[in-house]
Amino acid sequence: MTSSTLDTASLDRAVMELRASAGSWSATPLTRRIALLERLLPRVASASAELAAVGARAKGYAPDSPSAAEDWSGGPWALAQNAAACLHVLRRIARGEEPLGPGAVREEDGRTKVGVFPATGWDRLLFNGFTAQVWMRPGVTAEQVRDRAAGEYRGRPGPPAVALVLGAGNVAAITALDVLHKLYAEGQVVIAKLNPVNAYLRPHFEQVFADFIAQGWVRFVDGGAAEGAYLTRHEGIDALHVTGSDRTHDAIVWGTDENAEQRRRDDQPLITKPFSSELGGVSPCIVAPGPWSDAHFRFQAEHIVTSKMNNSGHNCIATQVLVLPRDWDGTERLLGEIRRVLRELPPRTDYYPGADRRLAAVLAAHPQAETHGGGCRLLVPDITNHDDILITEEIFGSALGVVRLPGATAAEFLRHAVDFANDTLPGTLGATLIVHPRTEKTDRPAVETAMAGLRYGTLGINCWSAVGFLLGFTPWGAFPGHTRQDIGSGTGFVHNAFMLEDVEKTVLRAPFAPAPRGLVTGDPSLSPRPPYFVTNRTALTTVERVTRFTTAPSMRKLPGILASALRG
C-alpha cells in the first residue's frame, strides 16, 4: 500500500476503538487477566502447526523440512513460553505471594542479581543446566528490586493508554510477544502493525488473540512505511515500541527530510511519546582459549554456526563477528570444524528483502571470501581492518566474519576481546562468550571481569544469547544508556515476566558440552544437543512436542520429548 492509497479511516477507527476500551483493560482484575492467558494457550496450540507452516513456506521450504524447527521455536513455542512465564508470575501474585521466590534476589560483589531461570520444576527438567540471572543497575538494592517488581499488579498500575507496536518481519513471535508485554507488563491496549514481510501472520495472530480483540483491547493492522508513519504521529497513540534498525527509529523520531539531521543535533524530535525499541547491531561471539577435546571443537562449531545461520542469519541477535585468540592452537581447528558444518548444512535462501544487496557488498569488500553450502553462506576468516563492513554494519544475512585478537593467556585475550566488543562493534543487544569450565575455574577473575565488563543487554555464557529472547523470564533489550540522538540497539526491555525495573543485563548460562560429556568437563547436566542447533537431527519433532507441552504441561508428554531430544 502506498501513501497515495493510505486508508486513514480504518486506522483511525482501530485507534478510536482501542481508546474507548483502554479503561476497561486497566480495570480488568488480575483473576480475569489470568483467565485470558489460560484461554490463550490452547489457542496457540490449535494455531501452532499452521503458524509454523506459513513461515516455512514463506522462507522457501516445506513445513516438514528440518529447517522448520526454527519456525516452531521462533513462532508458537516462543509465544507459548512467554505466555506461560507471565502466567507463572501472575499466579504467584494472585496467591498473595511476592513475584520473586525466596532466595531469588541476592547481593554479591557490590551488585544485586536476580535468579530468574529456571523458574519452575518443568524448567529444571526440560532445560537442565540452563540458568539465567538478571544483573540490576549499580546502586540498586535487593529490597528495591523486590519492592519494584510487577508494579502493574502491586499498587503502581499505569494509566489507561494505547500503545503502537511496529512489528518485525523476520521472527514470527516478535510482534505477538511485544503485544503481550504491552498488555500485561505495562497495562496498555495495543494496535500492532505487522511488517509487510510477514503480514501473512495476521489471521493466525487474530485467532490467538481473539478474546482480546473481541473486547477491543488488541487490533492488528497491515501496511508499510506510510501506515507506520501515520500511526506513530497519531494523536490517539500514547506510546510506541518498535523492533527494527536504528534507521527505522531515526526515521520516526527525526524524519527523513533535509532537516532531519538538524533536528537530531538540536534534539527537536518529531514525536516525544514514550518510545521503547529493539534495534539489533553487530553481535560478537567470543571464544576463550582452553583445553578443548575433539568433541568440544565439533560441538562448539555447531553452536557458533547455529548462532549465525539460524533463520539464514536474518536475526538481530545473529553472531556476525567471531572473536578468536590469535595465539591459541585451537583457533584453526575450530575454524576447520566451522567450515565442515557450513559445507554440510543444506542450502538455504536468504529470503529477507535486501539480503542479496548486503551480501554482495560483503563479497565486494572480500572477493576471496569463502563460500559454502552451494554459495549461500559466506565466511571471511581473518578480518584485520576495523573499518570492515562486517564490523561496522549489521548485514542481516548469512555472512560470518572472524577477528583474531592477541593474548598469550585467557586473561590477556579476554581483556582485548571485551575492549573490542565494547568500543569497536556497534550495538549492545547481545553477546556470546564460550569458555571451557576448566578455563573458567583457573582464570575465574578474568572471566568474571569479562562478564561484568561486556556492555550487552544479554550475555550468553556457552549459550547463544538469542535464547534470552525465547524464555520469557529474561528481560530482552539493549544495554542501558542509549539516547534518542544515539539510539544504538534501542532502549527499554520487553518480555520480562517478573516485570523487573532497573535492569542492566541478563546473564545466561548453558552447559559447555552436552550430556554425558559434561561429566568430563566438570559441567554436568542432563541436557543433550539443544534442539535449536541447526545440526539437530530431531529438532522439528522435539520443538513441536515441547510447544504442545508448554501449552498444556503433563507428565505423560515428557517421555516423548526426552526420547526425541536424546536422538538429536
Side-chain angles (χ1 to χ4, degrees):
M1 183 181 292
T2 65
S3 57
S4 61
T5 59
L6 181 62
D7 182 7
T8 59
S10 65
L11 298 176
D12 291 341
R13 185 165 54 252
V15 173
M16 180 182 65
E17 291 168 352
L18 288 164
R19 291 207 71 79
S21 302
S24 66
W25 173 248
S26 295
T28 298
L30 175 59
T31 52
R32 181 147 189 241
R33 291 193 183 191
I34 289 172
L36 285 162
L37 274 183
E38 290 172 339
R39 286 170 56 87
L40 180 139
L41 282 169
R43 291 183 182 277
V44 174
S46 63
S48 59
E50 190 54 30
L51 180 61
V54 294
R57 295 188 192 103
K59 298 176 189 178
Y61 47 82
D64 60 355
S65 163
S67 296
E70 70 190 31
D71 299 290
W72 278 87
S73 60
W77 180 73
L79 179 50
Q81 173 65 19
N82 275 257
C86 186
L87 262 177
H88 170 77
V89 177
L90 295 182
R91 285 168 173 162
R92 287 184 59 86
I93 297 171
R95 293 194 299 265
E97 301 173 8
E98 290 192 359
L100 295 159
V105 187
R106 63 184 184 184
E107 295 181 2
E108 58 180 34
D109 303 324
R111 298 292 298 275
T112 300
K113 302 175 184 179
V114 185
V116 297
F117 193 86
T120 70
W122 298 127
D123 296 337
R124 293 177 179 86
L125 281 172
L126 294 176
F127 299 91
N128 192 264
F130 283 71
T131 63
Q133 190 180 60
V134 177
W135 293 25
M136 312 310 292
R137 299 192 193 200
V140 176
T141 67
E143 183 179 6
Q144 288 171 328
V145 170
R146 294 189 189 95
D147 288 346
R148 295 173 184 174
E152 175 71 13
Y153 302 93
R154 302 172 72 211
R156 300 188 309 280
V162 179
L164 168 64
V165 166
L166 295 179
N170 57 329
V171 175
I174 291 177
T175 303
L177 301 190
D178 292 341
V179 169
L180 275 180
H181 177 84
K182 282 294 185 182
L183 283 167
Y184 278 88
E186 300 188 22
Q188 301 169 352
V189 298
V190 186
I191 180 168
K193 189 194 79 64
L194 292 165
N195 191 293
V197 176
N198 58 8
Y200 54 79
L201 296 170
R202 178 176 173 176
H204 307 285
F205 287 162
E206 289 179 335
Q207 176 185 344
V208 169
F209 286 92
D211 290 338
F212 298 86
I213 292 171
Q215 295 294 323
W217 297 328
V218 173
R219 290 288 184 270
F220 291 97
V221 297
D222 298 325
E227 287 73 18
Y230 181 78
L231 287 169
T232 60
R233 300 172 192 176
H234 199 292
E235 63 181 9
I237 299 294
D238 301 301
L240 288 79
H241 179 78
V242 59
T243 303
S245 70
D246 55 355
R247 295 181 300 277
T248 305
H249 168 275
D250 289 349
I252 294 170
V253 174
W254 311 113
T256 57
D257 60 15
E258 65 276 8
N259 297 317
E261 194 54 41
Q262 187 63 49
R263 291 191 198 99
R264 187 209 297 264
R265 287 194 294 269
D266 296 341
D267 195 20
Q268 296 292 324
L270 294 173
I271 62 167
T272 57
K273 302 170 184 178
F275 195 147
S276 57
S277 55
E278 189 263 86
L279 306 173
V282 175
S283 295
C285 175
I286 299 168
V287 179
W292 292 24
S293 69
D294 291 344
H296 297 151
F297 283 105
R298 289 193 296 270
F299 179 78
Q300 293 300 342
E302 294 176 21
H303 181 194
I304 292 164
V305 171
T306 293
S307 74
K308 171 74 269 184
M309 298 303 169
N310 173 278
N311 201 28
S312 293
H314 305 318
N315 290 319
C316 54
I317 195 59
T319 292
Q320 184 165 305
V321 175
L322 177 61
V323 184
L324 297 177
R326 184 184 301 157
D327 306 315
W328 181 39
D329 60 4
T331 288
E332 291 304 326
R333 293 178 64 187
L334 179 59
L335 286 173
E337 288 295 331
I338 287 172
R339 291 183 177 100
R340 178 187 61 79
V341 178
L342 291 173
R343 286 194 304 268
E344 293 177 357
L345 286 176
R348 285 282 301 270
T349 301
D350 282 288
Y351 69 89
Y352 206 84
D356 53 349
R357 171 182 50 80
R358 294 187 295 273
L359 292 171
V362 174
L363 280 172
H366 297 281
Q368 305 305 315
E370 299 176 17
T371 59
H372 299 279
C376 70
R377 291 178 278 272
L378 303 181
L379 176 67
V380 181
D382 194 3
I383 297 173
T384 57
N385 178 7
H386 287 185
D387 291 328
D388 191 278
I389 186 174
L390 280 164
I391 290 177
T392 61
E393 297 183 29
E394 183 181 8
I395 301 302
F396 214 69
S398 52
L400 176 65
V402 179
V403 170
R404 303 162 194 245
L405 296 179
T409 64
E412 185 179 354
F413 166 74
L414 285 173
R415 284 196 298 273
H416 288 294
V418 170
D419 289 345
F420 170 76
N422 285 342
D423 301 334
T424 301
L425 298 181
T428 64
L429 184 61
T432 300
L433 172 61
I434 299 176
V435 56
H436 192 288
R438 200 173 305 160
T439 303
E440 184 169 2
K441 183 177 181 179
T442 57
D443 291 276
R444 186 170 300 280
V447 174
E448 291 179 348
T449 297
M451 290 168 55
L454 283 162
R455 297 193 294 267
Y456 288 86
T458 297
L459 172 62
I461 310 297
N462 299 326
C463 178
W464 181 26
S465 54
V467 173
F469 167 82
L470 299 169
L471 295 179
F473 296 104
T474 44
W476 183 250
F479 193 85
H482 298 299
T483 67
R484 63 189 176 194
Q485 290 169 291
D486 184 15
I487 195 59
S489 289
T491 182
F493 288 91
V494 291
H495 308 181
N496 190 13
F498 289 107
M499 293 166 273
L500 300 172
E501 299 182 15
D502 309 303
V503 171
E504 181 180 85
K505 64 182 172 186
T506 297
V507 178
L508 295 164
R509 281 186 174 272
F512 177 77
R517 292 201 298 271
L519 293 171
V520 178
T521 63
D523 189 25
S525 75
L526 300 177
S527 180
R529 174 185 282 106
Y532 57 83
F533 271 34
V534 292
T535 51
N536 191 302
R537 295 169 295 182
T538 61
L540 179 58
T541 299
T542 301
V543 178
E544 181 178 349
R545 290 176 180 177
V546 169
T547 301
R548 300 197 183 285
F549 175 90
T550 305
T551 61
S554 168
M555 286 293 293
R556 64 181 176 80
K557 297 177 183 178
L558 286 176
I561 293 173
L562 296 176
S564 177
L566 290 170
R567 292 196 303 270

